[in-house]
Amino acid sequence: MSGDAVVRTVLGDIPHDELGIVYAHEHLIIQGGLGVMKNSDLRLNSVEKAVEEINDCKKYSAKTFVDFMPLDSGRNPSALVEIAKRTETHIIATTGFHKPMYYDDLHWIYSYSLDQIVDLLIQECEVGMDKHSYNGPLVERLSAKAGVLKGASDYNVIKSVSKKLFEAVAMAHLETGVPIATHTEHGTCGLEQIELLAKFGVKPENVIICHMDRNPDIYVHKELGGTGCFIEYDNATRVKYHPDSESVSLIVRMIEAGFQDKILLGTDFALRSYWKAYGGGPGMAYLLETFIPRLKKQGIPAETVNRFITQNPQNAYSLKKIQSKLVAGGVKDDNEKQGSLSYRGN
């Protein structure tokens, strides 16, 4: 990792080693959208509650939160800026796309050309996020920029429109150096996502595959780790899927396999019923208050556990040094097309 590597937060770019303890996959605000219409528990629309929940995490020295709500699915970048200022924390915002269920069949993801979508993503990363998250028709850009590009797939399948959006995310990444993070449904299609992105010229080490502990098959995790990508785990407390012992065991086995430098941790608490601030539980602080100490009690060295929430996310979320550019039909050599950014990070 280059000593001058930076991470793009909603309040500006900062050196990657200033992130402190990182919650690698969160949902701080979900203002509305089709997902909320289908499930009201997804409505996380209070800045006050977000501030309260973050302040609870700050008691355990949390400093950075990566908000994973992408375009036109409830993201509110203005609220993220306000939360960052009020809590004095670093917030990394996301552009890109969720799985198709978050968009109706007349949405512009189906009708806009690939080049049009790529341009929208690049503008969000380099100029500023749209205040309305492209739910249109007017665009009002904030100064706050997105620091993550997101793609998503469904359960055991990457649908046609999602492949188009993954290609757009890949092209935007190759232009901007902003890292890619993905949604996997129940931990499926992680390898397929890496293969698809590689087809478009994206290096696996610039990709974060999320929710993989929903599918605690160690063989799959080793295969995924072997590609060089980062793997994000966020299933702690979800006993309805499996007990925390399953996640702990998975992490131990991944360390034994030599992948301790590729593990990230978050909570992915996208439901108000998970937040203490909304009267639910266990609350986002559970990660630092309970799960991290449990990993240490399991015998994992403190230095290794701390890496999951400090150095690893610092590396994963830094802007990337891009070696080539993607154009229609394949990857163009740097000698044919030079990037427009003065900084690409790692």
Side-chain angles (χ1 to χ4, degrees), residues 76-313:
N76 184 338
S78 297
L80 295 179
V81 170
E82 182 179 354
I83 293 167
K85 290 179 178 178
R86 290 180 56 178
T87 60
E88 298 182 332
T89 58
H90 305 304
I91 294 178
I92 303 170
T94 299
T95 190
F97 306 95
H98 217 312
K99 56 188 177 180
M101 69 158 279
Y102 281 85
Y103 309 102
D104 65 47
D105 56 3
L106 295 178
H107 197 275
W108 53 263
I109 61 171
Y110 296 98
S111 58
Y112 282 18
S113 71
L114 178 64
D115 286 345
Q116 287 173 322
I117 296 174
V118 171
D119 183 64
L120 290 175
L121 296 177
I122 291 173
Q123 295 293 314
E124 286 242 312
C125 294
E126 294 192 333
V127 181
M129 290 181 285
D130 175 32
K131 178 180 179 180
H132 312 289
S133 294
Y134 292 148
N135 65 1
L138 300 179
V139 173
E140 295 182 68
R141 294 210 181 275
L142 306 174
S143 60
K145 302 171 185 177
V148 178
L149 286 154
K150 181 176 180 177
S153 58
D154 284 287
Y155 182 56
N156 278 322
V157 64
I158 306 177
K159 294 182 179 178
S160 177
V161 68
S162 296
K163 290 180 180 179
K164 171 185 175 181
L165 299 177
F166 267 111
E167 183 171 5
V169 163
M171 294 178 72
H173 161 76
L174 293 175
E175 180 61 32
T176 66
V178 170
I180 295 172
T182 77
H183 167 90
T184 64
E185 191 72 5
H186 297 300
T188 64
C189 290
L191 285 167
E192 290 83 354
Q193 290 176 355
I194 290 293
E195 291 169 358
L196 181 62
L197 288 168
K199 176 182 176 182
F200 300 135
V202 177
K203 294 183 177 182
E205 56 264 35
N206 295 341
V207 181
I208 304 159
I209 305 295
C210 300
H211 314 316
M212 282 306 301
D213 47 341
R214 285 287 186 92
N215 175 18
D217 183 334
I218 189 61
Y219 175 84
V220 173
H221 288 249
K222 288 180 179 179
E223 290 288 299
L224 198 56
T227 70
C229 72
F230 289 92
I231 304 173
E232 189 268 328
Y233 297 146
D234 51 41
N235 204 71
T237 80
R238 289 176 172 83
V239 181
K240 62 184 179 181
Y241 300 117
H242 55 68
D244 281 3
S245 58
E246 193 76 39
S247 295
V248 172
S249 175
L250 176 62
I251 290 171
V252 168
R253 286 178 288 172
M254 286 296 282
I255 294 170
E256 292 172 347
F259 297 117
Q260 62 273 5
D261 292 345
K262 294 296 181 177
I263 295 172
L264 311 178
L265 300 177
T267 71
D268 186 34
F269 280 176
L271 302 178
R272 57 172 52 206
S273 56
Y274 290 146
W275 285 37
K276 285 186 177 180
Y278 284 105
M284 285 172 55
Y286 179 91
L287 178 66
L288 297 178
E289 180 184 20
T290 302
F291 190 70
I292 290 295
R294 180 168 179 173
L295 292 177
K296 294 176 181 178
K297 289 178 181 178
Q298 188 69 28
I300 303 174
E303 180 181 355
T304 300
V305 175
N306 292 337
R307 173 173 287 276
F308 301 157
I309 52 176
T310 55
Q311 294 103 312
N312 291 356

Side-chain angles (χ1 to χ4, degrees), residues 26-29 65-70 75 80 91-94:
E26 309 309 319
H27 293 275
L28 304 177
I29 287 286
F65 299 82
V66 188
D67 184 86
F68 259 75
M69 218 61 209
R75 189 192 71 173
L80 295 179
I91 294 178
I92 303 170
T94 299

